[in-house]
Amino acid sequence: MSIRLYNTLTKTKELFEPIAPGRVGIYLCGPTVYKEAHIGHMVGPVIFDTIKRYLTYNGFEVNWVVNITDVDDKLIAQSQERGISMSQVATEMTMDYCANLLAMGVDQITSMPRATENMDEIVGFIEGLIEKGFAYESDGDVFFDVQKDRQYGKLSNRSADDQQGEGGGAAAKKRSASDFALWKSAKAGQPAWDSPWGQGRPGWHIECSAMSRRLLGESFDIHGGGLDLMFPHHENEIAQSECCHGTPMAKYWMHNGLLRSGEAGKVGGKGDRESQAEESVEQAASGKMSRSAGAGGLRGQIERHGGEKIRFFLLKTHYRSTVVYSEAALDEAAIALDKFYVFFERYERIAGRTFYLAAGDDRQLNTQRSEGDFAPSDSGLLAEVKNYRDTYLAKMDDDFNSGGAVSELFNLLGALNKFADQQHLEEASKRTQAAIDQFLRGVETLRELAAILGLFLKPVTSTSSGGVEVVLDKLVQTFIQMRADARTNKDFAMSDRIRDDLTAAGITLEDRKEGTTWRLG
RNA sequence: GGCGCCGUGCCCAAGUGGUUUAAGGGGGCGGAUUGCAAAUCCGUUAUUCGCCGGUUCGAAUCCGGCCGGCGCCUCCA
């Protein structure tokens, strides 16, 4: 087994070998917490959550850091607009962000450092750069001297001249337009921290260099972020860290593709020719997800769809691809996911208990990769299961190809359903214990593989409370009994009417040999 | 203008030199099952991978050109 991943720095797939054997340090650029998160902010966390799960499954000990940027122009603007302190804005939005992460099943983050809690580290880092001659102070501001960095631009393949830099007042203070701010002097009424250069606050890029060094060391294994951060953010992080330390900042750079909005039916890509005047409308409806374009409402989306559906939707596609988001695309993912949920109910009828593991369950979730789970003599279902498992792992080994892996999950699901059909596992009189045992082992493999993607670990939480669900079940059972009576009397008009009305209410009935079951949707 | 990415069936999407005359999902069609459904299973839906050349014994996969879509270069996950 060997994992390969695509390194943006070299633009090739490389064999993954951590700097220290068995241990992996990952840094992912997190959000600036000034407004509520939107679905695009979940792409990176979901992918890296999956990457960490997979690395852990492969026996690595993973330290995954996601930073929170809680000091920035936009936060200041937000606090002034709302008449509350910047830290209040930050706290509120950080909580929103974390709640969203948890709803998406992202619970693998080791630490989430905040910029404002690392001011000493940040100031110290800047001092180090000045000492080494890579940065200079200018009237209370400190800038990175891009001309001094001979390697500048190696990640994004740009020259220093391409860097526009900040315009306005800062330009006059810089030696070169491409220099970027490490420290910004405070303006009246703005949050500020003490420094050797007077009151001020850090520039955008420095916190990542400072905090990654504190938590992961001068050189760590994987640095991730959205494709849009490659330049200038990551380029500048590299400049800061590598000039300061003289060693590579990260061994592998991974960039995830961005989410685009695909609403408004702009599929053919030909809509803009005739509607130049309506350009702004077009852009609002289709284009990169951004907070300014009104892509917000992640919380509402999670409430409507559930975090697992969105997670599955994101994982269906390779992480480096652009994903076009639309309600229709999400619905399609939901239908696919439903096949698993329906299967879990089937499992429950066969196994006599829920698919989901509880604390102290005698069924074990296999959390470590091993080859000894299947004997060469296994045939039939288990041989098929082994085959799909091997393919699944091979796909994950190849640059975390979650999209390809998902297809093996479906193959596995199909094999299990087919086996349950052929062996009549739902009919007590026809099934054999041997067949059930095989089936259960196959399901354990499905559980093991899905867990790598962070899927099916716990029941999908419904918005309604448990009490309501109990009442609803009693109600539906009453209808099911009425319908059964009608069917006994061959009153199919009545039985169909009951079922149709329930369907219209969002309840699907399923008749099977052992009785009628129901589910939502 | 500079730097990149992408173009696979009706739709989404994996595959990036031979085991692929191309996974998986959605949708369509036909069948099994069912009182009828739902769910499930079976079969079917691309000899072909934007177009044109080239390299190679062999390409969807490599190279060149063209066409089309998208991103970054300003804040952005």
Side-chain angles (χ1 to χ4, degrees):
Chain A
M1 116 210 157
S2 57
I3 296 170
R4 298 194 317 142
L5 53 78
Y6 184 84
N7 187 353
T8 320
L9 196 58
T10 58
K11 295 187 172 39
T12 53
K13 273 187 202 169
E14 298 175 11
L15 188 67
F16 177 67
E17 286 175 318
I19 295 166
R23 291 214 313 253
V24 183
I26 302 177
Y27 187 92
L28 176 70
C29 286
T32 302
V33 283
Y34 71 103
K35 267 192 173 175
E36 275 152 15
H38 67 253
I39 193 168
H41 292 116
M42 296 293 114
V43 178
V46 164
I47 285 155
F48 279 89
D49 182 82
T50 301
I51 288 173
K52 175 167 177 183
R53 287 173 195 274
Y54 193 60
L55 292 175
T56 303
Y57 176 78
N58 278 278
F60 293 103
E61 189 184 312
V62 184
N63 186 188
W64 176 26
V65 176
V66 179
N67 70 295
I68 298 288
T69 301
D70 60 352
V71 50
D72 157 278
D73 288 341
K74 292 188 292 298
L75 270 139
I76 293 170
Q78 197 68 20
S79 81
Q80 286 170 348
E81 199 175 296
R82 297 178 55 193
I84 56 178
S85 72
M86 186 176 81
S87 73
Q88 265 179 290
V89 173
T91 302
E92 213 175 276
M93 293 309 150
T94 302
M95 284 172 65
D96 172 74
Y97 182 73
C98 290
N100 290 146
L101 290 182
L102 284 179
M104 309 281 298
V106 176
D107 60 7
Q108 300 287 303
I109 298 171
T110 311
S111 54
M112 297 180 84
R114 301 176 188 215
T116 57
E117 291 172 354
N118 288 270
M119 282 299 165
D120 291 347
E121 186 76 31
I122 290 170
V123 169
F125 203 107
I126 297 172
E127 286 180 309
L129 281 170
I130 292 175
E131 276 166 31
K132 294 189 167 96
F134 290 105
Y136 57 91
E137 194 233 327
S138 174
D139 193 21
D141 288 355
V142 181
F143 296 98
F144 185 88
D145 192 342
V146 171
Q147 304 297 330
K148 296 271 172 61
D149 179 11
R150 295 172 134 203
Q151 296 204 64
Y152 191 83
K154 69 178 179 182
L155 178 67
S156 59
N157 192 21
R158 287 169 213 244
S159 67
D161 301 334
D162 292 335
Q163 158 99 287
Q164 306 256 334
E166 295 155 76
K173 298 182 178 180
K174 296 187 201 174
R175 289 181 190 167
S176 156
S178 54
D179 294 349
F180 55 89
L182 298 172
W183 189 260
K184 298 177 174 182
S185 56
K187 296 191 181 76
Q190 292 186 346
W193 287 260
D194 288 325
S195 81
W197 320 286
Q199 290 261 303
R201 59 195 162 89
W204 175 29
H205 318 291
I206 194 68
E207 65 172 82
C208 290
S209 287
M211 298 193 293
S212 66
R213 176 174 74 180
R214 178 167 78 79
L215 293 162
L216 299 171
E218 294 183 358
S219 286
F220 53 93
D221 301 294
I222 299 173
H223 190 128
L227 208 49
D228 53 346
L229 293 183
M230 197 160 101
F231 186 89
H233 184 53
H234 291 162
E235 199 66 76
N236 291 352
E237 279 187 48
I238 289 178
Q240 293 161 351
S241 291
E242 302 195 353
C243 286
C244 188
H245 307 135
T247 51
M249 182 184 193
K251 189 169 181 186
Y252 307 97
W253 285 80
M254 296 180 72
H255 289 95
N256 59 268
L258 305 177
L259 205 65
R260 283 203 305 130
S261 170
E263 299 293 2
K266 194 185 170 189
V267 179
K270 263 196 166 176
D272 41 339
R273 191 155 297 168
E274 56 262 44
S275 62
Q276 209 76 334
E278 297 165 46
E279 200 176 352
S280 59
V281 178
E282 280 285 324
Q283 284 184 341
S286 174
K288 189 184 134 185
M289 286 276 168
S290 68
R291 296 193 246 220
S292 56
L298 174 60
R299 186 179 299 203
Q301 283 165 328
I302 288 175
E303 275 172 15
R304 253 180 301 142
H305 300 289
E308 183 153 81
K309 192 201 287 187
I310 300 173
R311 184 183 182 105
F312 176 75
F313 169 71
L314 295 176
L315 255 17
K316 241 162 49 85
T317 308
H318 189 96
Y319 77 87
R320 280 190 280 126
S321 308
T322 302
V323 175
V324 178
Y325 172 87
S326 68
E327 289 288 316
L330 212 48
D331 287 345
E332 191 185 305
I335 293 169
L337 245 198
D338 244 11
K339 292 174 87 104
F340 288 97
Y341 297 147
V342 168
F343 174 77
F344 297 153
E345 286 172 14
R346 185 175 205 183
Y347 171 89
E348 202 165 327
R349 293 191 296 273
I350 293 169
R353 55 175 166 175
T354 172
F355 169 82
Y356 299 99
L357 298 186
D361 206 295
D362 59 305
R363 294 166 295 180
Q364 291 262 308
L365 172 62
N366 189 2
T367 57
Q368 287 298 305
R369 184 171 188 161
S370 66
E371 307 301 332
D373 299 338
F374 294 91
S377 58
D378 281 334
S379 61
L381 177 68
L382 292 181
E384 213 176 338
V385 168
K386 179 187 187 309
N387 185 28
Y388 292 138
R389 179 177 179 272
D390 288 346
T391 309
Y392 177 102
L393 296 177
K395 289 192 173 169
M396 287 301 286
D397 281 344
D398 185 9
D399 198 25
F400 310 105
N401 181 1
S402 60
V406 163
S407 76
E408 301 309 319
L409 241 34
F410 278 102
N411 283 331
L412 190 49
L413 179 70
L416 291 166
N417 266 321
K418 185 176 173 178
F419 186 78
D421 277 3
Q422 290 173 342
Q423 301 293 322
H424 308 285
L425 294 187
E426 291 187 64
E427 294 171 70
S429 57
K430 289 189 181 175
R431 62 189 182 188
T432 66
Q433 191 57 44
I436 290 177
D437 289 345
Q438 272 195 66
F439 176 77
L440 295 182
R441 279 187 64 192
V443 174
E444 289 313 306
T445 300
L446 176 65
R447 190 200 308 288
E448 169 190 346
L449 299 183
I452 291 169
L453 297 177
L455 296 174
F456 314 141
L457 293 166
K458 53 182 97 161
V460 176
T461 49
S462 136
T463 45
S464 52
S465 69
V468 172
E469 278 172 9
V470 171
V471 173
L472 180 63
D473 181 62
K474 282 185 181 166
L475 218 51
V476 176
Q477 292 302 340
T478 306
F479 282 116
I480 286 174
Q481 190 53 51
M482 283 167 66
R483 180 164 163 273
D485 294 343
R487 293 173 74 203
T488 307
N489 299 328
K490 304 268 185 209
D491 184 358
F492 294 123
M494 176 57 79
S495 70
D496 285 353
R497 190 184 154 192
I498 292 171
R499 187 178 58 204
D500 292 346
D501 286 355
L502 287 175
T503 303
I507 290 163
T508 305
L509 296 188
E510 302 186 344
D511 292 336
R512 30 188 108 257
K513 290 207 166 56
E514 316 287 312
T516 301
T517 61
W518 70 276
R519 64 188 163 83
L520 286 173

